[in-house]
Amino acid sequence: MRSDQNQPLPRLDVLLCAPRGFCAGVDRAVQIVELAIERYGAPVYVRHEIVHNRFVVDALKAKGAVFVEELDEIPETGQPVIFSAHGVPKAVPAAARDRRLLYLDATCPLVSKVHREAEIQHRKGREVVLIGHAGHPEVVGTMGQLPPGAVSLVETVADAERFVPQDPAALAWITQTTLSVDDTREIVAALEKRFPAIVPPHKDDICYATTNRQEAVKAVAGQVDAMVVVGAPNSSNSQRLREVAERAGCPRSFLVQRAAELDWSAIGPIARLGLTAGASAPEVLVEEVIAAFAERYEIHLESVRTAEETVAFNLPRELRQSAAE
């Protein structure tokens, strides 16, 4: 805070990365929960965090959403259960049908595309190599589309170099949608060097929003003294933004969920700040961070846009009428 009210605040140029924040898949998932509560009333059950953002989850809880990790936490009910944007293994909707639960699938359509790619390659007799992070819900969901052993997870270049396939001539690779574009390129190159016959996905699996947000960070990182990424620590795409900023030349890069997490001593004296948000972070949290800096600096905002986003995804059939109303 300002120590002397009579002293002018130091100037801070804030370069706002654009695009940033909510992507079409996250926006659709949040809408599904909100519209389900409107149509069916509370409670509406959601398996896993609908998106990786505590602010969003808490706001939906306040409206009547009940979050669970597994279906067996849900009582016998006629109320719907919603599957998160990250996607789920095939066993989950099968279990919901066994219990006669009404379920709505909020899986991002771009994640569903990866699921279909995995199934197609498996049907063609190929072992599927999934590039992703172990334990991430999206990876769990994608691996759960195929029988055990049909998908091999590769996380790093080192993994790719020691991977032993069942048949080197019958391989295909797919990826988690929220990875570092540059890291993934290196892993793919290692796989293709060892296995020239490995089949790529029909279209790049890393989603447009992940790519666009990383490109915006790259455009800003070399121009600023510090970068703040608004996002959750368990958000893959947010973590990748922080890493991309560091690699692109930003000396200090921080991931925060809220303005209250800003570590002013670590940020130190700065004249230019880069600011972005992961795909599951709402813009209100970006504005909160700007307000926190405005208490200490005279803020000058500049938007640095590297792409326009016009993508929108259809809602589930059951909720389209509610959305129209």
Side-chain angles (χ1 to χ4, degrees):
M1 295 295 290
R2 189 182 344 187
S3 58
D4 184 342
Q5 293 295 323
N6 296 319
Q7 293 295 318
L9 294 173
R11 176 184 173 114
L12 180 65
D13 293 321
V14 178
L15 276 59
L16 282 168
C17 298
R20 65 179 177 276
F22 270 17
C23 63
V26 166
D27 187 56
R28 173 181 180 268
V30 173
Q31 279 192 70
I32 287 172
V33 178
E34 292 175 337
L35 290 169
I37 293 169
E38 287 181 21
R39 174 166 181 180
Y40 300 102
V44 163
Y45 296 92
V46 184
R47 184 188 178 277
H48 192 66
E49 291 185 342
I50 187 69
V51 296
H52 282 156
N53 188 276
R54 177 53 51 188
F55 180 89
V56 172
V57 168
D58 287 346
L60 293 173
K61 281 182 179 178
K63 294 178 180 180
V66 175
F67 289 84
V68 300
E69 285 303 310
E70 299 298 342
L71 297 185
D72 58 15
E73 299 172 48
I74 301 173
E76 296 303 321
T77 179
Q79 293 296 99
V81 57
I82 299 168
F83 303 148
S84 81
H86 310 99
V88 295
K90 280 188 172 180
V92 174
R97 288 190 294 269
D98 288 345
R99 288 190 54 190
R100 301 185 185 278
L101 291 173
L102 169 63
Y103 67 86
L104 301 168
D105 192 353
T107 300
C108 173
L110 298 180
V111 174
S112 297
K113 168 205 166 288
V114 178
H115 291 180
R116 290 193 297 272
E117 186 81 29
E119 291 177 316
I120 290 168
Q121 298 298 353
H122 180 64
R123 283 200 299 270
K124 291 181 176 179
R126 298 185 178 112
E127 181 181 357
V128 176
V129 179
L130 171 60
I131 302 170
H133 298 297
H136 188 279
E138 183 184 328
V139 166
V140 173
T142 299
M143 295 184 76
Q145 302 306 303
L146 301 182
V151 181
S152 296
L153 181 64
V154 167
E155 296 188 77
T156 64
V157 170
D159 288 347
E161 290 173 342
R162 61 174 168 255
F163 168 60
V164 179
Q166 298 164 23
D167 179 356
L171 288 174
W173 64 266
I174 59 175
T175 81
Q176 185 178 333
T177 63
T178 55
L179 301 178
S180 160
V181 174
D182 295 334
D183 285 351
T184 303
R185 188 181 298 118
E186 292 177 3
I187 295 169
V188 169
L191 288 169
E192 290 179 337
K193 182 178 180 180
R194 292 189 63 209
F195 311 111
I198 193 168
V199 176
H202 176 68
K203 187 178 179 184
D204 194 357
D205 288 337
I206 296 179
C207 80
Y208 78 94
T210 296
T211 301
N212 288 348
R213 280 148 190 73
Q214 290 180 20
E215 288 302 313
V217 165
K218 288 178 184 178
V220 167
Q223 306 178 49
V224 297
D225 305 311
M227 176 75 71
V228 171
V229 178
V230 180
N234 61 339
S235 165
S236 175
N237 75 84
S238 298
Q239 288 283 10
R240 303 296 81 75
L241 290 175
R242 184 190 61 76
E243 294 169 0
V244 165
E246 290 181 346
R247 293 178 185 177
C250 181
R252 284 163 285 172
S253 183
F254 306 94
L255 177 64
V256 300
Q257 297 187 81
R258 303 288 299 267
E261 294 183 3
L262 290 166
D263 183 342
W264 299 105
S265 61
I267 292 170
I270 55 173
R272 291 170 70 81
L273 173 75
L275 181 57
T276 190
S280 50
E283 184 65 11
V284 64
L285 299 185
V286 175
E287 294 168 356
E288 182 183 279
V289 168
I290 293 172
F293 275 95
E295 292 183 0
R296 297 165 180 265
Y297 297 91
E298 178 189 326
I299 299 292
H300 294 262
L301 295 175
E302 177 187 345
S303 179
V304 179
R305 179 170 292 280
T306 54
E308 296 290 340
E309 293 183 349
T310 58
V311 177
F313 296 129
N314 289 331
L315 292 164
R317 190 181 311 107
E318 301 92 331
L319 298 176
R320 287 176 196 166
Q321 184 175 347
S322 299
E325 294 171 355

